[in-house]
């Protein structure tokens, strides 16, 4: 008996490790990351080739080193999501340029052009970055629900897909109560999680919808975007739109959260017909914990979310009386 238990545990942790490694490798895609691009030029507008560009994620220690080409252009692809990127540009004979506070959101293609000044002594120019109003490198119509909105906006049921209703051209389909994007049927939407399809193959809706009992916790989703039209071929499988979400990950600092929500029929008044609702009892509790396993290299994020719902409903049975 003990042998089978040990074997089951070994198989479980082996499968967990394989899934972990596969998810880390798979996450490095355009659908789950962002990018920073731009040009480096002198004050008179001449392009500067050979500029050393250092892109740093100050939360995880990730560093990308780039060099501008003959046109002064650079691009840093597949950057994990973070609100705390820093960009440094150095070239002999010019002042060092540092730009901090850069936010890389899901699917973003930030354009940051660098203007460097001649200098005979070692100088450092510090610039605070702001997110551009329009991303000129993208053609699709996209609405992003940020991590701040997911964490602070109230949500009954803690299903992150309910936030989709905050975006334009999004409604609830009357056919199967699924999400309808751009006027299409709910089954024509594609819900993606960490770059993989997260759809119910039979009912044509997201997993954790009206039928399957599985879903991602609101506290486990970092941010997501709703793409209504003009999306590139990397997404596909949708005639209405794309819901592209990414889960949270750890950083070099420890974070945690704990929650408990309670709701029952005593919180609800009578309906329009002056009738009371059926009795129910709803409890939601959970926690998250994240941090470094190996600083600057390996991180963890754990989430537990329990949802318990009890309801009393009345059914009326009618029996026909036999006649003799």
């Amino acid at each position: 008996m003990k042998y089978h238990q040990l074997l089951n545990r070994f198989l479980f942790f082996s499968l967990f490790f394989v899934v972990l490694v596969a998810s880390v490798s798979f996450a490095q895609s355009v659908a789950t990351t962002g990018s920073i691009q731009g040009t480096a030029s002198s004050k008179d507008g001449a392009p500067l080739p050979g500029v050393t560009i250092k892109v740093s994620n100050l939360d995880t220690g990730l560093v990308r080193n780039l060099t501008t080409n003959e046109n002064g252009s650079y691009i840093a692809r597949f950057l994990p999501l973070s609100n705390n990127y820093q960009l440094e540009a150095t070239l002999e004979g010019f002042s060092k340029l540092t730009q901090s506070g850069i936010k890389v959101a899901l699917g973003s293609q930030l354009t940051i052009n660098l203007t460097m000044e001649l200098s005979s002594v070692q100088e450092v120019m510090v610039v605070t970055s702001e997110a551009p109003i329009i991303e000129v490198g993208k053609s699709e119509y996209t609405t992003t629900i940020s991590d701040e909105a997911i964490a602070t906006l109230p949500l009954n049921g803690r299903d992150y897909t309910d936030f989709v209703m905050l975006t334009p051209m999004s409604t609830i389909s009357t056919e199967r109560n699924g999400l309808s994007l751009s006027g299409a049927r709910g089954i024509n939407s594609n819900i993606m999680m960490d770059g993989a399809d997260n759809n119910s193959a039979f009912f044509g809706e997201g997993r954790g919808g009206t039928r399957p009992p599985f879903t991602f916790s609101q506290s486990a989703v970092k941010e997501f975007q709703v793409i209504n039209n003009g999306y590139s071929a990397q997404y596909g499988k949708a005639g209405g739109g794309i819901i592209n979400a990414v889960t949270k990950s750890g950083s070099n600092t420890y974070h945690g959260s704990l929650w408990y929500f309670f709701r029952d029929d005593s919180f609800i008044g009578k309906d329009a017909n002056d009738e009371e609702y059926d009795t129910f009892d709803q409890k939601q509790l959970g926690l998250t914990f994240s941090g470094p396993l190996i600083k600057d290299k390996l991180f963890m994020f754990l989430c537990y979310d329990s949802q318990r719902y009890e309801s009393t409903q009345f059914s009326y049975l009618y029996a026909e009386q036999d006649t003799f």
Side-chain angles (χ1 to χ4, degrees):
M1 186 66 180
K2 292 183 178 180
Y3 171 78
H4 290 291
Q5 291 179 347
L6 292 174
L7 179 61
N8 291 334
R9 291 181 181 179
F10 174 78
L11 293 176
F12 171 80
F13 285 108
S14 298
L15 179 61
F16 174 80
F17 179 79
V18 171
V19 172
L20 176 63
V21 174
S23 62
V24 171
S25 301
F26 189 81
Q28 302 302 316
S29 67
V30 179
T32 59
T33 58
S35 65
I36 300 176
Q37 60 187 2
T39 58
S41 60
S42 61
K43 198 170 184 180
D44 58 2
L48 295 177
V51 178
T52 301
I53 306 293
K54 180 181 179 182
V55 181
S56 305
N57 185 337
L58 301 183
D59 290 332
T60 63
L62 173 70
V63 176
R64 296 279 179 83
N65 293 309
L66 311 167
T67 303
T68 57
N69 59 16
E70 64 274 6
N71 299 319
S73 301
Y74 72 94
I75 181 169
R77 297 185 175 92
F78 308 123
L79 296 176
L81 310 186
S82 175
N83 299 333
N84 197 15
Y85 271 94
Q86 179 176 280
L87 190 150
E88 297 177 346
T90 57
L91 181 64
E92 186 177 356
F94 289 82
S95 299
K96 180 180 178 181
L97 180 63
T98 301
Q99 192 158 342
S100 58
I102 302 173
K103 178 179 180 179
V104 175
L106 181 61
S108 62
Q109 298 178 8
L110 302 180
T111 299
I112 300 179
N113 296 322
L114 308 173
T115 301
M116 306 185 68
E117 297 184 359
L118 290 169
S119 176
S120 57
V121 296
Q122 186 67 27
E123 295 180 348
V124 178
M125 298 178 59
V126 180
V127 180
T128 302
S129 178
E130 295 183 359
I133 299 177
I134 299 177
E135 294 185 21
V136 296
K138 299 173 62 176
S139 60
E140 65 262 22
Y141 183 83
T142 305
T143 304
T144 300
I145 304 298
S146 65
D147 52 348
E148 182 180 2
I150 294 176
T152 57
L153 291 178
L155 185 61
N156 180 24
R158 298 183 61 79
D159 183 355
Y160 79 95
T161 58
D162 289 342
F163 285 121
V164 176
M165 299 306 298
L166 299 175
T167 65
M169 298 187 287
S170 302
T171 59
I172 297 296
S173 174
T174 57
E175 182 182 20
R176 296 180 178 177
N177 293 327
L179 294 170
S180 174
L181 303 179
S182 305
R185 300 172 63 189
I187 61 175
N188 292 329
S189 300
N190 186 17
I191 301 178
M192 303 178 63
M193 179 62 70
D194 290 333
D197 290 345
N198 189 45
N199 302 299
S200 171
F202 184 80
F203 292 106
E205 64 183 5
R207 293 181 180 176
T210 57
R211 300 167 184 86
F214 175 78
T215 185
F216 283 88
S217 170
Q218 174 187 356
S219 297
V221 177
K222 181 174 179 58
E223 63 182 66
F224 70 93
Q225 57 180 180
V226 180
I227 311 174
N228 294 93
N229 53 51
Y231 43 85
S232 63
Q234 68 184 356
Y235 298 105
K237 297 184 180 181
I242 305 291
I243 301 172
N244 182 30
V246 63
T247 54
K248 293 180 179 178
S249 60
S251 64
N252 280 326
T253 56
Y254 290 100
H255 296 279
S257 64
L258 181 69
W259 67 87
Y260 176 82
F261 298 97
F262 170 76
R263 183 171 174 260
D264 63 9
D265 54 284
S266 64
F267 288 81
I268 303 177
K270 297 181 179 180
D271 61 13
N273 297 322
D274 199 33
E275 296 181 358
E276 295 184 353
Y277 288 90
D278 294 334
T279 59
F280 71 92
D281 184 274
Q282 179 180 350
K283 298 182 180 69
Q284 296 174 276
L285 62 151
L287 57 89
T288 63
F289 182 74
S290 64
L293 293 176
I294 303 176
K295 187 177 180 181
D296 293 339
K297 293 183 179 180
L298 186 62
F299 311 94
M300 66 174 177
F301 176 83
L302 304 175
C303 179
Y304 171 78
D305 193 320
S306 175
Q307 303 190 17
R308 305 171 185 177
Y309 187 88
E310 298 178 0
S311 176
T312 302
Q313 297 180 346
F314 297 94
S315 299
Y316 298 92
L317 301 178
Y318 298 90
E320 294 183 1
Q321 185 176 6
D322 295 334
T323 303
F324 297 93

